[in-house]
Amino acid sequence: MASSDFDGILLGMGNPLLDVSAVVDQEFLDKYDIKLNNAILAEDKHLPMYDEMSEKFTVEYIAGGATQNSIKVAQWMLQIPGATSYMGSIGKDKYGEAMKKDATAAGVNVHYHEDESAGTGTCGVCVVGGERSLIANLSAANCYKVEHLKKPENWALVEKAKFYYIAGFFLTVSPESIQLVREHAAANNKVFTMNLSAPFICEFFKDVQVKCLPYMDYVFGNETEARTFSRVHGWETDDVEQIAIKISQLPKATGTYKRTTVITQGADPVVVAEDGKVKKYPVILLPKEKLVDTNGAGDAFVGGFLSQLVHGKAIEECVRAGCYASNVVIQRSGCTYPEKPDFN
C-alpha cells in the first residue's frame, strides 16, 4: 500500500485526559480508598486528591486518556503522518492547549470539541511498586456531544477511516456517537473495535456495552475486566480462555468479519480467541528493576496491535507489535515512547 492509502485509516474517539501521575504510598491509597490495577471515575471524596498529590509527591503531567494513548502509539508505530485521527472533548484552557500540541506533535490529526464551560479532564495516576490505579475526573471530556461528530469536517474523518477504535470509557459519555460510528462501520464493511476498559464499565454500563457488542470485530481487555464481564453475564467461569471464547461467540451484527477477543494478562501470555479456539502468545518479559509503571501498558498494546492490523498483517504479528509497544511504555513514565520505534 502507498502511504497515501493510510491517510486517516484509523480513527479513535474517547476521553482526552491529562494524566497527573505520581509514585504515592499505601497510606495515600488507603486514605482515598484506591485499589491498584483498577480504573474508576472520581467521586466527591477523590477531588482533594489531585492537589494533595502535587503537594506530597513528585507529579508529572502527561497527555493521556485511554483511546488517545492507543491512537498515539499506533501513529508512532506506523510512522506515516496523518494515518490516525482522534475526536474527544477538551476545555478551553492551558491543559487543553498542551494536549493539542502533544497529540499534533505525535502526528495524530485531532478534531477536539472545545468546551466553554468545563476544564480539560484529568486522570490521577497513582503508582505503587510499578502498578497503577487510575482515578478520572472527566470534566470537559464528559461534554462530548453527537452534534460535534455530525459536523461535515468531523464526519469526514469517519468516512475516510477503515478501522475504528473506541475505549469502553466513552460509553459513559456519548453512546449516540458510538452508535453512529459502529453502524457506519457495519454498513461499509469496515473494522470496528472496542475495549472492555474497566470492571466498572462491564458492571454499571452493561446495557450500553451490550448494544455495541454485536458490532465489535475485535474486543480488547485485560484479565480482571474479562472476569468481571463473565460474572456480570452470569457465565460462572473465571477461566480467561473460556471467557475469551464466549465473548468471541456472542452474536454479530454482520457476517463480514468473525469476532476476535484479545485479552492481556500483565506478564502472563496474551489470550486470543477466534473461531472457537484459543491461542496464547507470551509477552516480552521485563526484569522488575526495569519496570517504571504499568500506566498505559494496555493502551500501548492496543496501539501496537492496530498498527499492524491496518497493514493487514496476521494476528500473531499484531500481537507481537502490541507486546513490543507495551514493553517500551512500561519502561517509561506514563504512555510515552522514544522518537522512533525499533520494531521490525
Side-chain angles (χ1 to χ4, degrees):
M1 282 166 79
S3 64
S4 59
D5 295 334
F6 285 94
D7 191 37
I9 195 167
L10 173 62
L11 170 64
M13 296 184 78
N15 303 335
L17 303 172
L18 186 76
D19 283 354
V20 182
S21 179
V23 175
V24 301
D25 51 30
Q26 191 59 46
E27 190 187 344
F28 185 84
L29 297 183
D30 295 341
K31 177 177 178 180
Y32 288 105
D33 193 23
I34 296 166
K35 294 177 183 61
L36 287 174
N37 195 24
N38 198 11
I40 59 171
L41 294 177
E43 297 168 41
D44 289 346
K45 68 178 179 186
H46 297 112
L47 296 179
M49 183 187 104
Y50 302 92
D51 283 341
E52 190 178 329
M53 277 173 82
S54 57
E55 282 158 23
K56 277 194 180 165
F57 308 103
T58 309
V59 167
E60 287 186 89
Y61 296 92
I62 307 161
T67 307
Q68 185 164 245
N69 284 343
S70 296
I71 294 296
K72 275 166 55 183
V73 169
Q75 178 62 50
W76 172 67
M77 291 284 287
L78 282 163
Q79 293 288 310
I80 302 166
T84 62
S85 310
Y86 175 80
M87 285 188 255
S89 176
I90 58 175
K92 284 201 159 178
D93 52 23
K94 62 174 189 203
Y95 288 157
E97 281 306 311
M99 189 104 69
K100 207 187 300 182
K101 214 164 133 182
D102 175 87
T104 307
V108 180
N109 179 17
V110 288
H111 283 215
Y112 294 123
H113 163 70
E114 293 184 38
D115 198 77
E116 302 283 350
S117 56
T120 297
T122 49
C123 182
V125 181
C126 300
V127 179
V128 174
E131 291 291 325
R132 60 87 177 133
S133 191
L134 309 175
I135 303 91
N137 182 14
L138 295 182
S139 196
N142 205 28
C143 301
Y144 191 85
K145 299 283 183 287
V146 72
E147 289 71 35
H148 179 264
L149 175 64
K150 287 178 173 171
K151 288 183 177 166
E153 66 272 25
N154 300 328
W155 188 253
L157 299 182
V158 179
E159 295 270 351
K160 193 192 274 186
K162 297 184 179 70
F163 296 81
Y164 306 91
Y165 175 65
I166 301 176
F169 294 119
F170 201 53
L171 289 166
T172 76
V173 172
S174 188
E176 308 80 9
S177 298
I178 300 175
Q179 185 179 350
L180 285 185
V181 172
R182 72 183 189 225
E183 287 176 353
H184 170 85
N188 295 278
N189 296 335
K190 295 175 175 184
V191 178
F192 183 77
T193 71
M194 284 192 79
N195 202 310
L196 300 178
S197 287
F200 86 88
I201 297 287
C202 302
E203 201 150 6
F204 304 114
F205 292 86
K206 178 187 168 188
D207 295 349
V208 279
Q209 190 180 54
V210 162
K211 285 192 180 127
C212 289
L213 268 159
Y215 294 87
M216 295 183 204
D217 299 308
Y218 288 82
V219 178
F220 297 97
N222 68 24
E223 74 280 37
T224 318
E225 294 148 11
R227 290 186 175 122
T228 305
F229 188 95
S230 173
R231 178 171 56 75
V232 168
H233 289 263
W235 288 350
E236 294 181 1
T237 176
D238 256 355
D239 181 327
V240 172
E241 295 180 35
Q242 285 307 309
I243 297 165
I245 287 177
K246 282 169 109 60
I247 291 174
S248 71
Q249 291 175 333
L250 290 168
K252 286 283 268 102
T254 75
T256 312
Y257 309 104
K258 293 173 180 158
R259 181 181 300 109
T260 304
T261 316
V262 185
I263 306 294
T264 57
Q265 311 186 86
D268 293 328
V270 179
V271 172
V272 176
E274 51 183 355
D275 274 340
K277 292 188 285 290
V278 159
K279 277 195 177 158
K280 292 196 289 189
Y281 299 91
V283 304
I284 308 161
L285 291 177
L286 187 72
K288 188 75 178 155
E289 63 274 13
K290 283 194 160 179
L291 173 69
V292 174
D293 68 54
T294 56
N295 179 26
D299 302 334
F301 175 86
V302 172
F305 187 102
L306 293 172
S307 74
Q308 302 309 297
L309 190 68
V310 303
H311 270 293
K313 295 284 170 67
I315 198 102
E316 49 270 29
E317 277 303 289
C318 297
V319 172
R320 192 169 74 84
C323 291
Y324 165 77
S326 58
N327 180 265
V328 167
V329 161
I330 61 177
Q331 297 183 63
R332 303 164 68 93
S333 185
C335 196
T336 61
Y337 38 79
E339 193 185 341
K340 288 267 193 291
D342 176 24
F343 177 80
N344 46 32

